[in-house]
Amino acid sequence: MTDHTDEQAPAAASFWRDPRKRAIVFQVIVLAIVLGLGAYIFHNTLHNLEKRGISTGFAFLHNEAGFGILFSLIPYDETYTFGRTFLVGLLNTLLVSAIGIVLATILGFIVGVARLSHNWIISRLANLYIEIFRNVPLLLQILFWYFAMLPLLPHPRQSLAFEGGIFLNRRGLYLPAPVAEPGFGWVLVTLGLVIAAVVVLRRWAHRRQEATWQIFPVFWTSLALLIGLPLLSYGLLGAPLDWDYPALKGFNFQGGMTVIPELVALAIALAIYTAAYIAEIVRSGIQSVSHGQTEAAYALGLKRGTTLRLVIIPQAMRVIIPQLTSQYLNLTKNSSLAPAIGYPDLVAVFAGTTLNQTGQAVEIIAMTMGVYLTLSLTISAFMNWYNKRMALVER
Amino acid sequence: MTDRKTHPASEEIPAVQLQGVHKWYGEFHVLKNINMDVARGERIVICGPSGSGKSTMIRCINRLEEHQKGHIVVDGTELTSDVKNIEQIRREVGMVFQHFNLFPHLTVLENCTLAPIWVRKMPKAKAEEIAMHFLEKVRIPEQASKFPGQLSGGQQQRVAIARSLCMNPAIMLFDEPTSALDPEMIKEVLDTMIELAETGMTMLCVTHEMGFAKTVANRVVFMDGGEIIETNDPHAFFDNPQHERTQLFLSQVLQH
Amino acid sequence: MSEMMQEKYAPGTHPDWEPPATEVGVIGWMRENLFSNWRNSALTLLGVYLVYLIFVPLIDWAIVNADWAGDTRDACTSGGACWVFVKVRFNQFMYGFYPAEEYWRVNATAVLFALMILWLTVPRIPLKRVAGVLTLFVFPIAAYFLLGGGVFGLSEVETTRWGGLTLTLILAVVGIVAAFPLGIILALGRRSEMPIVRALSVAYIELWRGVPLITVLFMSSVMLPLFLPEGVNFDKLLRALIGIILFQASYIAEVVRGGLQAIPKGQYEAADALGLSYGKKMVLIILPQALKLVIPGIVNTFNELFKDTTLVLIIGLLDLLAIIKAALEDSNWLGYSIEGYVFAGAVFWIFCFGMSRYSRALERKLHTGHKR
Ligand SMILES: Nc1ncnc2c1ncn2[C@@H]1O[C@H](COP(=O)(O)OP(=O)(O)OP(=O)(O)O)[C@@H](O)[C@H]1O
Ligand SMILES: [Mg+2]
């Protein structure tokens, strides 16, 4: 609108009446306020830290931590540094999030599909699940599983025993641990080579099909290669993998792999809570595909299962995937409730214990927030990319 | 369009037989005592006011809707709740919808090969060959690798026709195939349907295109209130309608 | 009506028949929804089994075998739920450590709030704008003095004694009300044409939305004192509230932005064409429409916030969940965790479920309202 005024009105508008100039002034003022506030906070903080005798900077990361951590994926004890505690916490966060995401996805899809079932009872039950678990605070659910349900499990001596050497009691979940013997490395090498070969094979088959219209049974060949060859090498090398089974010794289990109860409770609570949201996403995603699509597929003679697999799900997934990713992100952020039951995640170990030990609140909170922020921004970048790609293919 | 499948053995049985068919939606009686035989190669146009049950009737023929009373026999197979029969019939009956219902996530070619590959278990190359053949018949082979969203309505509807033909159906059902189209696109779709009629395909078309009915139909069926009011050959139907409701309907339609 | 005796009707005279008995009524409904084919029937059996598995023991525990009467744990003998625990502690769960003789102040605040909400939500009561202004500006001040006391002869009650459901509601309501204006400003900033304003808004929104609330609460409880000049200090509740407000504003901003985007461009242009300034355009034309559109979204955000207030447990405030957790650690009542958490869950559920229903109903109303 203002672009043409130059030609028609030779005299420039007075300074305060020109919207562009006004915008510039306004922005300068806003910026000045924000910077001023920042400087003020910065000044206060420095002053306060000095007053309390707290050092600044990241040098503390090299200091010895001096406290133990309940559970760690990497070697750790009191003699490691604070830098290491950060890493331990981060890995524990990623671990519980990964487990939670897998469980929540499976459960969420089951409940979401059940919600759409033509069967009235099943659909009502799924709805009940969604309405109950979505409308109760997650923290309450975590506490419930940990403090109210866990004590109902038996003592180690009366553990629940499952197929394949798995035991469950109130001290945790005990699983057999794989132990690689010499030579197992070669099995992994074979697996790696086979995966590479399959990738090459798929490319080749695709190109040949484009050129000659001949179909090569890629799927079955790949599957045979992927399972067969590593298995063969495994057999030839004399089965170089052993399982270490947990066994009851005295009052507790020894050997095998122990999943601490905090991890079990947190993962279950996260999965159950998030699954309620995922179920709603799945339901609305599937419902977003118009009924005409199903009818057209049926009219062509496609069966129910094939229709779902080839027509409904691929279209629903476009709606589902972006929302699903944001639920994964939420789950990861929610795993920060771990301190409530003492699971040693990033927040508990780093923003909790490490902060208390060093007092370096600013650095530690910034690093903790930085981790989550990085995750969020990465995932939203992925979603933007995904949405754009999907939009391009469609139109 | 010459390569129609012939059914020498079943030449005598009608392609579609409806006997005393009734259907209810809840308490609402939609179809009332429908009786109709469609012979092989016969082309039937069904018309009638909105809500008279035309769509419901032809959707019963490939069991997109379930009837509650009476018998429907398609190609010698009676439609019951037996899943095998339903699958069998849907393979033999093609359907074209008002809103095309192409699969937006698949290319035009993939739309056409989907059912032959997964239902007829055809090798992909063969399916693509057939698909290209029919895409040429509907005169859009050059669009094969595009997505439906990139086509005009008329083109989409022609793809939908080609997609049905790829299953080599014995009977084709059309539910107002042109009523979602702009006038200039209606003709291209009707031309395709006329060419299809010339190959001897058995066709049931719900349409208000009276010109099409006059040139192509062997019989015109007029429905109202869930009943078949009148069945006649097109000339008699248009020039000398028997029933007063037909007269009223025609006077309204032809005014426009 | 067998086919043999099918009556003949002239074309166009067939009467409406009753549907076959298997199609309607209870039988028809069951056939359609429970037993339409063998798969469906199998699912029905599975469903009935699940219901039996879950609800029979649950009802048995929670109602049939439960203990209601009595004042001590000795009253809990029947093996079912011990609701005595909840009964004995009920006042604490509701009011925290608020002095018992002053409970009426909490109740009065709650009634006042309920009336405001009624005024705002019941369509037939007029003067919605007045109600909005009162709720946003007058009510908080009134509530603050009523609860905190120290004026008009009301005895002072320190915030450390606030707790239970009262505190939960305070956190949630203050959180949303105070975050609302900030959220609107951020949303306008994000859609502004001024690059610096836009960048700052985007940075603010993305920063807060990218981190979990718990880190924000940690920040406000340990870092806020560092940010302020020496000697200035807030109490714990206010620090938590500041964290919640800053955090919540970014979520509200995104909801409001959705509403702003949904307003057709023509509305902006029409306002420009009338010669309205930016402020007038927004306040008179755009925001009234956009905010109406986003009410369901705001209710949803509030719902999430309501659940998230429980996180203050981790920084040591005694909201409903925290106070129940603390009560469970009382050595007189050890072992009644399930009762405690089920009660807490039920209270939260009633609020959250109610709000989600309300927001869904609103959404439906808005959608039908916009149909043309
Ligand atoms: N799924 C359904 N549930 C309940 N009633 C339905 C359903 N589908 C259609 N009807 C009703 O059945 C009647 C017949 O519908 P139908 O679609 O067969 O009409 P039509 O003759 O095809 O009309 P149009 O020319 O508008 O397409 C209408 O009154 C319609 O409202
Ligand atoms: Mg119709």
Side-chain angles (χ1 to χ4, degrees):
Chain A
M1 267 167 283
T2 47
D3 289 347
H4 303 288
T5 47
D6 292 0
E7 302 148 31
Q8 285 149 17
S14 88
F15 189 81
W16 282 114
R17 300 239 185 108
D18 183 337
R20 269 175 303 173
K21 288 184 187 139
R22 248 190 341 203
I24 290 171
V25 171
F26 180 72
Q27 295 189 76
V28 169
I29 294 173
V30 168
L31 197 62
I33 293 175
V34 170
L35 289 179
L37 198 66
Y40 178 67
I41 287 176
F42 186 71
H43 170 80
N44 284 340
T45 310
L46 276 187
H47 180 76
N48 283 325
L49 287 175
E50 206 175 312
K51 202 82 202 270
R52 297 181 196 189
I54 299 170
S55 56
T56 51
F58 290 92
F60 75 98
L61 289 174
H62 300 292
N63 298 348
E64 188 175 299
F67 62 90
I69 294 178
L70 182 60
F71 167 76
S72 167
L73 289 172
I74 49 175
Y76 177 83
D77 59 43
E78 299 89 71
T79 60
Y80 281 89
T81 61
F82 286 124
R84 189 73 163 190
T85 62
F86 173 76
L87 204 58
V88 170
L90 177 58
L91 286 175
N92 284 346
T93 288
L94 294 179
L95 176 71
V96 71
S97 307
I99 298 175
I101 284 173
V102 171
L103 296 178
T105 310
I106 297 171
L107 193 58
F109 271 76
I110 293 175
V111 176
V113 171
R115 178 72 185 81
L116 288 175
S117 167
H118 291 303
N119 186 290
W120 184 82
I121 292 188
I122 295 290
S123 144
R124 287 289 96 193
L125 280 176
N127 195 35
L128 193 69
Y129 175 97
I130 295 171
E131 294 296 3
I132 286 182
F133 289 105
R134 238 173 33 150
N135 287 315
V136 172
L138 173 60
L139 182 61
L140 199 162
Q141 297 189 36
I142 294 174
L143 296 178
F144 177 77
W145 294 113
Y146 187 71
F147 289 114
M149 286 291 125
L150 203 67
L152 296 186
L153 287 175
H155 287 282
R157 280 168 176 274
Q158 288 96 39
S159 293
L160 304 172
F162 298 96
E163 266 329 289
I166 299 172
F167 297 93
L168 181 66
N169 62 47
R170 61 173 72 174
R171 299 265 188 88
L173 178 66
Y174 298 83
L175 306 166
V179 181
E181 282 172 13
F184 188 68
W186 289 109
V187 180
L188 293 182
V189 170
T190 322
L191 187 66
L193 287 177
V194 172
I195 290 175
V198 165
V199 170
V200 173
L201 178 78
R202 304 200 88 135
R203 289 248 174 96
W204 169 81
H206 191 75
R207 229 172 284 142
R208 191 181 76 145
Q209 191 188 330
E210 302 235 297
T212 64
W213 277 17
Q214 273 175 298
I215 303 184
F216 186 82
V218 183
F219 180 74
W220 294 112
T221 330
S222 318
L223 200 67
L225 283 177
L226 276 174
I227 295 174
L229 283 182
L231 218 58
L232 191 69
S233 76
Y234 182 73
L236 286 179
L237 288 163
L241 185 70
D242 231 352
W243 292 94
D244 177 16
Y245 289 98
L248 189 65
K249 296 229 175 77
F251 290 109
N252 214 339
F253 280 84
Q254 311 252 296
M257 205 162 36
T258 310
V259 186
I260 55 170
E262 290 78 16
L263 175 55
V264 176
L266 185 59
I268 286 182
L270 285 171
I272 289 183
Y273 181 75
T274 313
Y277 285 84
I278 292 181
E280 271 298 278
I281 292 170
V282 169
R283 180 193 62 78
S284 65
I286 291 179
Q287 279 185 338
S288 74
V289 181
S290 81
H291 192 55
Q293 294 287 310
T294 318
E295 293 193 333
Y298 285 174
L300 285 167
L302 266 63
K303 292 184 190 167
R304 211 179 128 97
T306 325
T307 304
L308 259 177
R309 194 155 50 86
L310 298 177
V311 178
I312 310 300
I313 290 179
Q315 293 185 57
M317 279 323 240
R318 290 159 190 239
V319 182
I320 291 175
I321 282 179
Q323 298 183 49
L324 198 59
T325 5
S326 85
Q327 282 308 319
Y328 291 166
L329 185 61
N330 279 348
L331 188 148
T332 310
K333 285 197 277 179
N334 284 336
S335 73
S336 64
L337 296 183
I341 56 168
Y343 174 76
D345 82 322
L346 181 64
V347 171
V349 168
F350 198 62
T353 318
T354 305
L355 196 155
N356 282 340
Q357 303 261 318
T358 63
Q360 290 197 276
V362 180
E363 294 85 349
I364 287 177
I365 298 279
M367 278 175 78
T368 312
M369 285 185 157
V371 167
Y372 289 105
L373 199 59
T374 312
L375 275 173
S376 300
L377 294 180
T378 316
I379 288 188
S380 55
F382 163 78
M383 284 195 285
N384 283 343
W385 169 83
Y386 180 86
N387 286 338
K388 218 170 267 172
R389 203 186 74 123
M390 280 306 154
L392 265 183
V393 172
E394 189 127 351
R395 217 150 255 275
Chain B
M1 298 192 187
T2 47
D3 42 75
R4 286 281 96 254
K5 178 165 67 177
T6 51
H7 297 255
S10 52
E11 210 65 66
E12 325 72 67
I13 2 170
V16 180
Q17 241 180 325
L18 291 101
Q19 284 176 350
V21 172
H22 290 261
K23 173 167 178 62
W24 287 264
Y25 282 124
E27 293 281 337
F28 177 49
H29 200 169
V30 215
L31 294 183
K32 299 170 182 169
N33 194 25
I34 302 287
N35 291 289
M36 179 165 74
D37 281 5
V38 182
R40 283 189 189 286
E42 205 177 3
R43 296 174 298 277
I44 298 207
V45 162
I46 302 156
C47 60
S50 180
S52 54
K54 311 178 293 291
S55 300
T56 309
M57 183 179 87
I58 74 164
R59 288 156 59 86
C60 280
I61 294 174
N62 65 351
R63 195 64 172 199
L64 288 179
E65 301 289 352
E66 195 177 325
H67 62 284
Q68 278 103 30
K69 205 166 174 314
H71 302 277
I72 300 180
V73 183
V74 179
D75 217 16
T77 313
E78 168 148 21
L79 273 172
T80 59
S81 53
D82 183 347
V83 184
K84 273 269 156 301
N85 281 357
I86 297 173
E87 283 167 9
Q88 155 82 24
I89 282 162
R90 284 179 179 166
R91 276 197 289 265
E92 303 304 326
V93 178
M95 180 157 192
V96 175
F97 298 86
Q98 180 176 6
H99 295 288
F100 331 136
N101 292 350
L102 291 177
F103 305 130
H105 62 301
L106 301 178
T107 62
V108 165
L109 188 63
E110 287 165 342
N111 261 284
C112 295
T113 56
L114 184 77
I117 291 175
W118 289 94
V119 180
R120 293 236 187 263
K121 312 287 179 211
M122 218 180 259
K124 195 171 166 209
K126 181 92 196 316
E128 288 186 344
E129 198 179 324
I130 291 175
M132 286 312 292
H133 170 78
F134 284 111
L135 286 175
E136 270 158 37
K137 291 283 177 203
V138 300
R139 288 192 293 269
I140 34 176
E142 70 282 359
Q143 314 282 7
S145 58
K146 284 197 184 163
F147 284 91
Q150 297 167 311
L151 304 185
S152 75
Q155 289 172 326
Q156 290 194 41
Q157 195 58 297
R158 286 183 284 152
V159 172
I161 295 174
R163 176 175 75 176
S164 289
L165 293 178
C166 286
M167 284 295 283
N168 201 7
I171 300 157
M172 284 287 285
L173 309 174
F174 294 83
D175 190 359
E176 308 203 26
T178 55
S179 60
L181 296 176
D182 293 339
E184 67 267 30
M185 296 173 192
I186 291 179
K187 188 177 176 308
E188 63 188 54
V189 171
L190 288 181
D191 286 349
T192 309
M193 290 170 63
I194 292 169
E195 281 169 38
L196 182 61
E198 282 161 3
T199 66
M201 170 69 78
T202 312
M203 292 165 70
L204 278 90
C205 310
V206 175
T207 180
H208 293 144
E209 293 298 329
M210 293 308 159
F212 175 80
K214 275 183 194 151
T215 46
V216 171
N218 304 101
R219 268 193 295 162
V220 179
V221 172
F222 175 71
M223 287 184 73
D224 192 7
E227 284 182 80
I228 293 182
I229 305 286
E230 185 170 343
T231 307
N232 226 328
D233 75 85
H235 292 291
F237 182 83
F238 288 109
D239 301 338
N240 187 17
Q242 299 297 305
H243 202 280
E244 62 190 283
R245 287 210 220 168
T246 322
Q247 291 159 8
L248 183 68
F249 175 74
L250 283 177
S251 67
Q252 280 165 355
V253 171
L254 296 178
Q255 262 170 18
H256 295 294
Chain C
M1 292 200 321
S2 92
E3 280 149 52
M4 292 282 102
M5 325 169 16
Q6 182 107 42
E7 294 163 67
K8 281 280 176 201
Y9 298 101
T13 59
H14 198 298
D16 284 348
W17 282 352
E18 290 285 305
T22 53
E23 289 302 315
V24 286
V26 181
I27 299 173
W29 182 88
M30 294 214 329
R31 206 185 75 114
E32 169 96 18
N33 293 298
L34 298 176
F35 304 103
S36 59
N37 53 40
W38 67 265
R39 267 192 38 177
N40 203 349
S41 309
L43 281 176
T44 302
L45 289 182
L46 176 75
V48 170
Y49 181 63
L50 278 177
V51 168
Y52 171 78
L53 221 54
I54 299 169
F55 290 97
V56 172
L58 192 66
I59 291 172
D60 211 39
W61 174 81
I63 298 167
V64 180
N65 269 332
D67 291 296
W68 306 85
D71 303 310
T72 61
R73 68 178 298 152
D74 299 330
C76 293
T77 49
S78 55
C82 177
W83 297 123
V84 179
F85 165 66
V86 174
K87 198 180 80 181
V88 170
R89 297 280 184 144
F90 187 78
N91 277 343
Q92 209 184 71
F93 293 168
M94 294 298 114
Y95 304 103
F97 299 105
Y98 211 87
E101 63 281 4
E102 306 288 339
Y103 281 170
W104 66 269
R105 281 155 63 178
V106 178
N107 296 344
T109 315
V111 169
L112 206 57
F113 182 64
L115 289 177
M116 298 307 298
I117 291 295
L118 268 182
W119 190 356
L120 279 171
T121 51
V122 175
R124 264 183 309 169
I125 309 177
L127 297 178
K128 289 281 184 259
R129 272 184 205 203
V130 178
V133 170
L134 284 178
T135 317
L136 279 180
F137 301 107
V138 180
F139 170 73
I141 298 168
Y144 177 77
F145 285 116
L146 198 53
L147 290 174
V151 283
F152 308 124
L154 293 171
S155 63
E156 189 172 342
V157 182
E158 283 157 17
T159 56
T160 45
R161 309 188 66 170
W162 300 9
L165 183 62
T166 311
L167 183 66
T168 296
L169 288 171
I170 291 173
L171 286 168
V173 172
V174 176
I176 199 96
V177 168
F180 200 64
L182 185 55
I184 293 178
I185 292 173
L186 285 166
L188 291 175
R190 192 168 186 166
R191 283 180 57 80
S192 155
E193 278 158 21
M194 296 180 260
I196 293 176
V197 171
R198 196 170 54 222
L200 286 171
S201 308
V202 170
Y204 181 97
I205 293 170
E206 294 302 325
L207 175 73
W208 293 112
R209 283 170 57 90
V211 299
L213 178 58
I214 185 70
T215 60
V216 176
L217 289 174
F218 268 12
M219 192 189 91
S220 65
S221 69
V222 298
M223 274 164 76
L224 210 58
L226 293 178
F227 289 165
L228 297 170
E230 224 183 322
V232 180
N233 211 346
F234 301 152
D235 71 5
K236 216 181 198 173
L237 174 61
L238 191 55
R239 287 202 303 252
L241 271 175
I242 291 178
I244 289 178
I245 291 165
L246 294 178
F247 180 81
Q248 199 59 27
S250 65
Y251 282 83
I252 294 184
E254 283 300 89
V255 175
V256 172
R257 183 169 72 113
L260 290 175
Q261 267 167 348
I263 304 299
K265 219 171 142 225
Q267 293 290 317
Y268 290 86
E269 286 169 355
D272 284 337
L274 286 173
L276 295 178
S277 69
Y278 177 84
K280 287 206 178 102
K281 175 171 78 177
M282 284 302 162
V283 173
L284 296 177
I285 313 286
I286 307 299
L287 280 176
Q289 299 184 55
L291 292 183
K292 198 177 155 204
L293 282 181
V294 298
I295 293 174
I298 297 282
V299 176
N300 279 339
T301 325
F302 181 66
N303 207 347
E304 295 293 312
L305 172 66
F306 189 74
K307 289 187 286 171
D308 279 348
T309 54
T310 52
L311 267 61
V312 298
L313 174 150
I314 297 178
I315 59 166
L317 288 174
L318 288 173
D319 77 320
L320 175 63
L321 180 59
I323 218 160
I324 289 179
K325 183 164 179 276
L328 290 170
E329 282 152 17
D330 177 350
S331 54
N332 287 328
W333 290 101
L334 283 182
Y336 292 115
S337 305
I338 304 184
E339 284 84 348
Y341 290 124
V342 166
F343 173 72
V347 174
F348 277 106
W349 187 85
I350 290 169
F351 278 96
C352 296
F353 181 73
M355 279 188 283
S356 75
R357 270 300 145 104
Y358 176 65
S359 113
R360 229 175 300 170
L362 268 184
E363 225 163 302
R364 218 166 299 141
K365 206 173 110 188
L366 277 179
H367 276 290
T368 48
H370 271 246
K371 246 182 218 158
R372 253 156 267 172

